Amino acid sequence: MTILVCLDRDGTINEDKNDFLGSTLDWKSKVKFLPGVVKGIRLLNQISDLEIFIITNQAVVALTGTEFDMLTEQRYKEVNEYMIEQLAKKEAGIKGFFGCPYVDLKYAEKSKQRGRTINPKYVVDNHPDLKPNPGMVEKAAKYLGKNLQECEV
């Protein structure tokens, strides 16, 4: 049986200083792995039939305004790919990533109260990929040619 490990990104793998990673031209210099992450992933890599994925809500893609212009779906994918490459250089393997740029109505309302605007195309209540829904975990299993019942999650 395949063991499927899905890790959140911001604040779990990397430092999250609420600086909207990817929003500036120098974003690569801001990628900092949390203490123990590299070692932990290396240890997990030693377990046979175990695959690791990053699954991440990226609500910032839904935000509009000049400070968020660079935070596109393409950019969050570039950030994830870069992080996986950097971890691989440290012999800490991650199989892939899945991200969700959608937000629910509650998030959209909170953002509005904070003076931020949301691109309405990203407001989808109960989107299957929006955590805690299992959509991204299911996609990781499918990527491995499995369904969740065939994985230990």
Side-chain angles (χ1 to χ4, degrees):
M1 178 167 284
T2 300
I3 301 168
L4 181 59
V5 175
C6 295
L7 302 173
D8 186 35
R9 192 184 84 183
D10 301 323
T12 301
I13 294 175
N14 60 289
E15 290 181 1
D16 183 15
K17 297 182 177 179
N18 288 325
D19 59 356
F20 305 113
L21 188 59
S23 65
T24 59
L25 292 175
D26 66 341
W27 65 266
K28 288 181 181 179
S29 69
K30 295 179 181 180
V31 174
K32 307 279 187 252
F33 297 113
L34 290 169
V37 165
V38 172
K39 182 179 180 182
I41 292 171
R42 284 185 193 148
L43 288 170
L44 287 170
N45 289 157
Q46 294 175 16
I47 300 170
S48 63
D49 297 323
L50 184 143
E51 300 291 353
I52 305 169
F53 289 85
I54 294 171
I55 60 169
T56 178
N57 284 344
Q58 289 297 304
V60 70
V61 172
L63 297 174
T64 61
T66 55
E67 67 185 303
F68 306 110
D69 284 350
M70 294 180 78
L71 291 168
T72 62
E73 287 185 62
Q74 180 59 37
R75 177 53 61 85
Y76 91 73
K77 291 173 184 176
E78 289 170 15
V79 171
N80 287 320
E81 289 166 356
Y82 178 77
M83 290 175 75
I84 290 171
E85 288 169 12
Q86 295 310 301
L87 287 164
K89 288 179 184 178
K90 298 173 185 295
E91 299 178 359
I94 301 275
K95 187 77 168 183
F97 71 89
F98 295 94
C100 181
Y102 299 101
V103 300
D104 58 20
L105 293 169
K106 185 177 177 181
Y107 182 94
E109 186 57 38
K110 276 186 185 177
S111 294
K112 185 178 177 181
Q113 290 171 2
R114 292 180 181 156
R116 294 189 172 144
T117 56
I118 299 280
N119 181 333
K121 84 175 191 175
Y122 289 108
V123 180
V124 180
D125 230 17
N126 206 31
H127 190 282
D129 289 348
L130 187 59
K131 290 187 289 179
N133 293 331
M136 290 186 282
V137 177
E138 291 170 343
K139 285 180 178 180
K142 186 176 181 180
Y143 182 87
L144 299 172
K146 311 265 184 196
N147 62 45
L148 284 184
Q149 292 70 33
E150 299 172 289
C151 297
E152 208 170 302
V153 184

